[in-house]
Amino acid sequence: MSHLLPPDFVARVQQDAFLGNPLLEALATEPPTSIRRNPWKQVADLPVANPIPWSENGFFLSERPLYTLDPLFHAGSYYPQEAGSQLLDAVLKALPLPAEPLILDLCAAPGGKSTLIASFLNNTGLLVSNEVIQSRAKVLKENLTKWGATNTIVTNNDPADFARVPHTFDCIVVDAPCSGEGMFRKDHAARNEWSQNNVDLCAARQRRIVMDVWESLNPGGFLVYSTCTFNSQENEENVAWFAHETDAEIVHIPLSFAKPDRTETGWYALPNELDTEGFYLAVLRKPDGNSPKKKWAKNPKLQLFKDRSLVEPFITTTDLSLIQWQEYVFALPVKFEETAFYLHQQLRVIKLGTELGEAARKGLIPHEALALNPFIRNTGLSTIELSKDLALSYLHGDTFQLEGAHGFQLMTYQNEALGWIKHLGNRFNNLYPKEWRIRMDVR
Ligand code: SAM
């Protein structure tokens, strides 16, 4: 059992009355499987066992399905997510955030917390989802695009870059890179990577990350700090250090399901208590104060897109700001137009709201983000409903015999959009993005 765990870790946990043998025993068992549903998309046919009590859209499954072979997984109908991480849902609901908040998810790839925050926002407010590692930022962009909200911006920046956008966010989620003790149950490789030295390095890096981003939090704003590890160094001790360094108040949120931490500042989802992998979370509030008025500089790279008639056949919503970046058109709520211009100027933006498509001379070449966004895509568009086999072939990047009118057609499975094709009559061009295609044999 526990002999597979790093000996120094075992010794530390055994000496820690807060954790002790029950944790070690739980880490030797199989972790549960859980998902979070997308409230805006079709309900997938999954082996649901029980709802997750602390997460509005979360469910435990009785077995782990092969998600790749479910077209609704690719449509963004659900996201496989560890149950403990879904405590964030209960926390966001408990925080007194302003209406239409601006939320930054700083360490966001692959997008579990970001898709949860997007559902919480329910297409109001604005989510800026950031990931420092470029390859991981692309996956984050893909997952948020499939989730389908209009109001998400994805950036690929180092936390220190956020000093360029001071006093901007009402809430910052720092799901920090950590020593990953909560992964030991699922991921045996994580056990080999663990060392006390790595815990020390992680704790120091977490301090740097939080201090780097602190200036971009609005006075009175909230910082939600989380890890998937069990040691106090990366959790309670760091939270106390953050509060000391920043004069922040530690916010005590009533969470009936989780276990209060060693100093009663934050919360744990422990695998021996909640049937989760392991998660820690605490909330800090920045002292009230005045924000200097923002100087909105002109952003020469972006302009408002004037030719609305080009995109109008594809969209239903009118209260959108249409923004042109090179030859591409993006949609964002009008309310956040100025913010989007500002963030785009200061940061490395890789997703600007919902990309509608490329403004070509003959008309709009629609983008997959438009296909996957249920809020703004015109419901009267020409669609072709696919069987499961054909949907998988489409997602694999294949072409096949298909009845349908000429031009752009929306491919659907169980009435949920997957992406576009361009029908040429006797054949079609499969426009499903190459980097998203299913690589395994689907036949
Ligand atoms: N929030 C994500 C989710 O729910 O899907 C998981 C985030 S994971 C715990 C931590 C993330 O921090 C990783 O994506 C990692 O690439 C990123 N990261 C690594 N080093 C970092 C650093 N120095 N500053 C900021 N983020 C970093």
Side-chain angles (χ1 to χ4, degrees), residues 305 311 314-315 320-323 328-331 354-358 364-371 373 376 420:
F305 183 69
V311 299
F314 288 90
I315 61 175
L320 288 174
S321 183
L322 301 183
I323 299 172
Y328 305 100
V329 188
F330 299 81
T354 293
E355 183 164 354
L356 300 181
E358 183 181 340
L364 188 80
I365 303 172
H367 190 268
E368 54 273 9
L370 171 61
N373 181 322
I376 60 175
W420 303 101

Side-chain angles (χ1 to χ4, degrees), residues 18-161:
F18 182 76
L19 299 174
N21 280 328
L23 175 70
L24 299 177
E25 282 157 21
L27 291 177
T29 62
E30 280 297 304
T33 300
S34 52
I35 55 114
R36 192 171 29 75
R37 277 202 48 223
N38 185 332
W40 319 313
K41 300 211 176 185
Q42 282 294 333
V43 177
D45 184 19
L46 291 166
V48 166
N50 289 305
I52 298 175
W54 52 89
S55 171
E56 185 177 345
N57 299 302
F59 294 91
F60 289 110
L61 303 185
S62 56
E63 59 190 80
R64 181 176 292 274
L66 188 51
Y67 300 119
T68 307
L69 295 184
D70 178 7
L72 287 180
F73 168 64
H74 301 270
S77 287
Y78 58 94
Y79 190 97
Q81 188 177 37
E82 200 273 303
S85 304
Q86 298 187 40
L87 276 176
L88 181 61
D89 192 46
V91 169
L92 290 173
K93 286 183 171 126
L95 288 180
L97 292 169
E100 304 239 12
L102 238 81
I103 301 185
L104 168 64
D105 185 9
L106 183 69
C107 311
K113 310 290 179 308
S114 279
T115 51
L116 185 153
I117 298 165
S119 300
F120 164 76
L121 287 173
N122 200 20
N123 215 34
T124 68
L126 184 71
L127 168 63
V128 178
S129 202
N130 177 70
E131 168 59 41
V132 64
I133 298 175
Q134 197 177 10
S135 57
R136 291 177 62 81
K138 281 190 190 148
V139 178
L140 173 65
K141 177 180 174 180
E142 173 181 339
N143 285 329
L144 274 174
T145 301
K146 289 178 176 171
W147 206 247
T150 313
N151 55 342
T152 51
I153 287 178
V154 177
T155 56
N156 174 210
N157 283 87
D158 189 276
D161 297 340

